[in-house]
Amino acid sequence: MKVTIKILLLIGLAVYLVFAFVKFNKRKHETVCSNVVINVLDSDKADFVSKEDIWEIIQTTKLDPRGKNMSDVRLGKIKKAVDGHQFVLNSLCYTTPKGEVVIEVSQKLPVLRVMPNEGEEYYVDANGNKIPHVQYPADVVVVTGFVNYKKDRAVLSTFGQIVYRDEFWSDMIEQINFCEDGDVELTPRLGNHIVALGKPNELGRKLSRLKLLYEKVLNTVGWNKYCRISLEYANQAICTKFETNKNK
C-alpha cells in the first residue's frame, strides 16, 4: 500500500513539473521585454565601466532585447558582448517575470600598481588581470623593480589575492619590489624596516610568520627597532637591528 502511494505521488509530481514547465515556457514566449536594468557593481570604488558603456555595447552589437519576446532574448550573446569590455571582470544576465532583462556587471578593480624598471606602468586586479594605466585615485600597493608581467603574472596574482582578501595586508604593505636576482622585498607602511621574502614562493606561510612577528614582537619592542626582517629561510624570521653610533 505504501509503495503504491509513493508511486502515485511520484507520478503526480512528474505531471505537475511537466505542467509547470509548459506553462512557464508559454508565459515566457508571450511576455515581451519591456525594460533593461543595468547594475554596475562597486561603482563607489571605481568608474571604469558605466551604464552608458553597457548600453553602447548592446546597441552596437544589435542585441537590444526591448520589444522582443523573452524567449527570443539571447542572454548568452549579451553576456559575451558585455564581458568583452576591457574593464569588465564578469557579468550576470537574467530575466524577471516582469519582462525585464537585468545585466549586473562586476568591474576589474586594481589592487596593484605596477611600475617596472622597463616598460609602461599598469594595474593588476585581484585575479592577475592586466589593466592599462588609467587615472585611478585609490591608494593601492605599488610594485616596482625587475617585474615582468608574462613571467611574474602568477606571483602578481598571488599578491593581488592577498591584499584583496586580507585588509591587514592591504593596509600594511606599501611597496613590493622585485630584485634583479629574483628575490622579492616588501616595504611596510609602519616602521622603517625592509622585509626580505627571498624567492616568491610559499608567500602565504611567509606572511603568516611576519604577521605573527608583528603582533608578538614589534608591538612590544617597537616598530623602529629593526632595519631588516628576513623570511628567506623556512620557519625562521631573522631580524637585523639598526647600527648604533658608538662615538655618541
Side-chain angles (χ1 to χ4, degrees), residues 51 75 104 121 184 213 227 241:
K51 293 182 179 181
L75 295 177
E104 294 185 351
E121 64 179 85
V184 176
L213 179 70
C227 62
K241 295 182 180 179

Side-chain angles (χ1 to χ4, degrees), residues 221-235:
V221 304
W223 286 87
N224 297 320
K225 187 177 183 65
Y226 303 111
C227 62
R228 188 175 189 271
I229 298 174
S230 174
L231 301 170
E232 301 171 78
Y233 307 104
N235 301 319

Side-chain angles (χ1 to χ4, degrees), residues 31-165:
T31 303
V32 174
C33 177
S34 59
N35 188 29
V36 176
V37 178
I38 300 174
N39 296 320
V40 180
L41 307 180
D42 297 320
S43 57
D44 59 326
K45 297 180 181 179
D47 56 358
F48 300 133
V49 183
S50 66
K51 293 182 179 181
E52 291 74 20
D53 293 332
I54 304 304
W55 264 119
E56 184 177 353
I57 292 173
I58 293 174
Q59 297 294 334
T60 302
T61 55
K62 298 180 179 179
L63 293 173
D64 190 343
R66 292 175 299 179
K68 296 181 180 179
N69 288 334
M70 298 299 278
S71 58
D72 295 329
V73 175
R74 299 295 178 254
L75 295 177
K77 288 187 176 181
I78 295 175
K79 173 179 169 56
K80 184 177 180 180
V82 172
D83 287 348
H85 191 288
Q86 65 173 337
F87 292 118
V88 171
L89 176 63
N90 190 25
S91 65
L92 177 64
C93 304
Y94 59 92
T95 60
T96 69
K98 296 180 180 180
E100 295 178 329
V101 170
V102 180
I103 305 173
E104 294 185 351
V105 178
S106 298
Q107 301 182 75
K108 292 179 181 177
L109 296 178
V111 294
L112 302 175
R113 181 179 182 179
V114 185
M115 305 173 67
N117 286 351
E118 297 183 358
E120 297 182 353
E121 64 179 85
Y122 53 90
Y123 287 95
V124 172
D125 70 8
N127 294 319
N129 297 310
K130 187 176 183 180
I131 304 174
H133 183 226
V134 292
Q135 294 297 323
Y136 187 60
D139 185 14
V140 297
V141 177
V142 175
V143 181
T144 57
F146 296 85
V147 53
N148 180 279
Y149 181 74
K150 290 183 178 180
K151 178 174 66 72
D152 300 313
R153 179 175 181 178
V155 180
L156 291 172
S157 179
T158 300
F159 274 120
Q161 287 289 327
I162 289 171
V163 299
Y164 179 74
R165 294 179 176 179

Side-chain angles (χ1 to χ4, degrees), residues 144-201:
T144 57
F146 296 85
V147 53
N148 180 279
Y149 181 74
K150 290 183 178 180
K151 178 174 66 72
D152 300 313
R153 179 175 181 178
V155 180
L156 291 172
S157 179
T158 300
F159 274 120
Q161 287 289 327
I162 289 171
V163 299
Y164 179 74
R165 294 179 176 179
D166 194 323
E167 187 176 354
F168 176 84
W169 290 119
S170 178
D171 294 336
M172 177 60 73
I173 299 175
E174 181 174 30
Q175 182 177 346
I176 302 169
N177 187 60
F178 283 68
C179 303
E180 189 171 7
D181 60 2
D183 287 357
V184 176
E185 296 177 339
L186 301 182
T187 301
R189 298 182 190 273
L190 190 60
N192 294 321
H193 57 275
I194 296 295
V195 180
L197 294 176
K199 296 297 183 286
N201 51 31

Side-chain angles (χ1 to χ4, degrees), residues 5-24:
I5 293 175
K6 288 182 178 180
I7 292 175
L8 291 174
L9 288 174
L10 289 173
I11 293 174
L13 178 61
V15 171
Y16 171 77
L17 291 174
V18 171
F19 172 78
F21 178 78
V22 171
K23 187 175 181 179
F24 172 79

